[in-house]
Amino acid sequence: MVHGPLPGVARAYGRGMARTPFSPAFWRSPLRGPRLTSLLGVVLLGGITVLFLTGLLSYAAYNPDLSPVNDKTPDKGILGFYLFSWPTDPHWLYRLNQGVHVTLGITLIPVLLAKLWSVVPKLFTLPPARSLAHALERVSLLLLVGGALFEFVTGVLNVQLDYVFPGSFYPLHFYGAWVFFAAFVAHAALKTPAALRNLRQLREEKDELVSPEPAEATVSRRGALGLVGGGSLLLLATTAGQNFDGPLRRTALLAPHGGAEPGTGPGAFQINKTAAYAGIDAAETGDQVWRLVVVGRTGTVRLGRADLLRLPLHSAALPIACVEGWSTSDQWWRGVRLRDLAALVGYDDPPDVLVESLQRRGAFRRAALRANQVADPRSLLALFVNGEELTPDHGHPARVIVPAAPGVLNTKWVAHMTFGDL
Ligand SMILES: Nc1nc2c(c(=O)[nH]1)N[C@H]1C(S)=C(S)[C@@H](COP(=O)(O)O)O[C@H]1N2
Ligand SMILES: [Mo]
């Protein structure tokens, strides 16, 4: 049964106020109410917690505390309290972490938008604050809504537009995540008990979210939830494929690394930055000119390609997994073990290493690897992939590949390696 306007609302009509968003009667959808809001809230409670944790792990995987070279948020202070040495096992660890982070984030967009829609009347309640506690609650809601929009927008832009914010995505998304998650925890602590109660109740409670003067329903609540869930499933189905090869990647219609693999042959798997983009000149990479400079305790060693080929070569099946949430399945890399290169310059116990490429500009032209990564027998300075020489775009003449590490640590077009404790 639809009840008539409340007396106060009727008076508001009289004064011509009912048509502004500040009047409860302005919001007429019969779908709004604590049950819908609570259900969406519980989904987001789980989803955003996973997003936050995988985000923190993703940051730790960059080895930011190892060297300033890796750290895009050097002023983080205590926010880095949890950092730890990223392991090399299982070798698909970063691939899984980042695939979940990005795919889940995109999948939750319709849920987030529906949740914001379901509570939008609350943004307009008057007076703005009834008490200090109420004022604090509203400020925290502002941080919550602002933080959520900020994190989703910066994340999607980074994934879709490929570094629209040169260098600054990491601090924005990292600091934004802490602000947002603090507000999220406060909100969840306050609201979860009531949300669970709302979901167990069969009938809608009297609540400020329930329109005092509901319009005729155009869609049932079940239908609306179906729309949100369907939207999420559609995003999931058109994004997740960018973590797989071949026909599955072709399903990732919305993902920048979906579709067909680039080129043909052994090097036909996803490329982040091409050699041309990175400004790598073929004149610098030829066998006659290119030298790998390895620096360590016992001095400096210069190795041409022929010298490297005389060292023991090993193979490892490892994926490329990018922070942007795309990855490849395992590729067959072949090259010299990083720990053998460390031994060449005086380290039986492998230390950390700073790897620098031929590339002159760009945030990812160099990276630092931790001793545990250098020590892993699968960590290679690869010269070959899938049975053939590296292609220019995959880092010819030599590139680093390390198990479980983010793509950004797998430096291409390597020119310089400095072993030692960083
Ligand atoms: N020199 C250099 N190495 C680099 C990069 C770069 O921009 N410059 N990009 C990194 C990133 S972010 C990724 S995901 C991987 C991608 O490797 P691929 O292009 O062979 O797939 O290379 C890494 N190595
Ligand atoms: Mo990447």
Side-chain angles (χ1 to χ4, degrees):
M1 203 198 90
V2 177
H3 20 232
L6 303 173
V9 175
R11 251 179 282 124
Y13 264 123
R15 282 186 255 116
M17 259 189 55
R19 290 290 158 236
T20 84
F22 294 97
S23 149
F26 177 86
W27 306 98
R28 300 194 57 199
S29 172
L31 295 177
R32 281 202 188 86
R35 277 173 69 82
L36 177 70
T37 294
S38 300
L39 182 62
L40 296 168
V42 167
V43 173
L44 289 173
L45 175 64
I48 285 174
T49 302
V50 173
L51 287 182
F52 185 68
L53 293 177
T54 51
L56 291 189
L57 289 177
S58 181
Y59 181 61
Y62 270 63
N63 289 341
D65 51 343
L66 178 62
S67 157
V69 161
N70 293 357
D71 197 358
K72 312 293 181 218
T73 59
D75 302 319
K76 65 189 163 301
I78 55 159
L79 296 183
F81 74 93
Y82 71 93
L83 293 175
F84 59 98
S85 304
W86 188 251
T88 56
D89 271 303
H91 70 275
W92 38 260
L93 184 60
Y94 192 77
R95 188 180 176 202
L96 176 70
N97 185 85
Q98 207 57 15
V100 168
H101 184 74
V102 171
T103 310
L104 179 62
I106 290 175
T107 302
L108 285 177
I109 289 172
V111 184
L112 178 74
L113 294 179
K115 166 86 181 176
L116 292 177
W117 176 86
S118 81
V119 294
V120 76
K122 287 203 182 190
L123 291 182
F124 292 95
T125 47
L126 284 178
R130 289 188 300 268
S131 63
L132 183 63
H134 186 227
L136 285 177
E137 191 201 323
R138 297 205 70 191
V139 169
S140 85
L141 282 183
L142 219 58
L143 290 177
L144 185 72
V145 172
L149 290 174
F150 183 82
E151 286 305 284
F152 277 79
V153 167
T154 51
V156 167
L157 286 179
N158 190 54
V159 167
Q160 290 293 331
L161 301 184
D162 215 20
Y163 312 115
V164 263
F165 337 74
S168 66
F169 165 73
Y170 299 94
L172 292 176
H173 203 64
F174 180 77
Y175 294 129
W178 281 104
V179 172
F180 169 49
F181 200 69
F184 178 78
V185 167
H187 183 75
L190 285 172
K191 301 286 184 178
T192 305
L196 294 177
R197 223 179 309 121
N198 288 334
L199 289 180
R200 275 195 299 268
Q201 235 128 47
L202 287 177
R203 284 171 45 107
E204 195 80 283
E205 294 269 289
K206 201 167 151 298
D207 185 278
E208 54 181 332
L209 284 176
V210 178
S211 175
E213 200 200 338
E216 203 71 58
T218 49
V219 56
S220 70
R221 188 164 288 172
R222 190 176 285 248
L225 284 175
L227 220 59
V228 173
S232 281
L233 280 179
L234 195 68
L235 286 176
L236 175 67
T238 49
T239 304
Q242 68 174 332
N243 286 289
F244 306 93
D245 296 344
L248 274 175
R249 192 177 300 279
R250 287 174 184 275
T251 64
L253 301 172
L254 285 184
H257 286 265
E261 303 291 352
T264 53
F269 57 95
Q270 292 302 302
I271 296 159
N272 187 335
K273 297 287 183 278
T274 62
Y277 179 95
I280 306 299
D281 190 341
E284 314 169 87
T285 58
D287 286 359
Q288 301 306 318
V289 277
W290 179 77
R291 295 290 176 272
L292 173 71
V293 180
V294 186
V295 182
R297 189 156 49 201
T298 54
T300 300
V301 176
R302 283 192 169 68
L303 302 161
R305 189 174 177 88
D307 304 316
L308 286 169
L309 290 174
R310 276 192 291 272
L311 295 172
L313 297 184
H314 297 271
S315 295
L318 299 171
I320 295 281
C322 182
V323 64
E324 294 160 46
W326 59 268
S327 56
T328 72
S329 59
D330 294 354
Q331 312 293 326
W332 273 99
W333 307 92
R334 189 164 174 76
V336 180
R337 281 181 174 156
L338 296 186
R339 67 180 196 194
D340 290 349
L341 291 171
L344 275 186
V345 287
Y347 296 98
D348 294 332
D349 240 351
D352 310 323
V353 66
L354 173 66
V355 181
E356 293 166 281
S357 68
L358 291 169
Q359 195 181 342
R360 280 167 205 88
R361 275 180 304 276
F364 305 134
R365 69 183 193 281
R366 49 189 192 163
L369 300 171
R370 212 185 291 275
N372 68 312
Q373 295 172 315
V374 176
D376 194 294
R378 296 163 297 175
S379 297
L380 303 176
L381 181 71
L383 308 171
F384 303 92
V385 67
N386 301 325
E388 290 203 17
E389 281 205 15
L390 289 175
T391 59
D393 290 339
H394 286 302
H396 177 83
R399 68 120 21 112
V400 163
I401 185 84
V402 170
V408 71
L409 297 184
N410 294 328
T411 309
K412 306 196 275 193
W413 315 292
V414 173
H416 240 273
M417 302 181 83
T418 311
F419 288 94
D421 292 330
L422 291 174

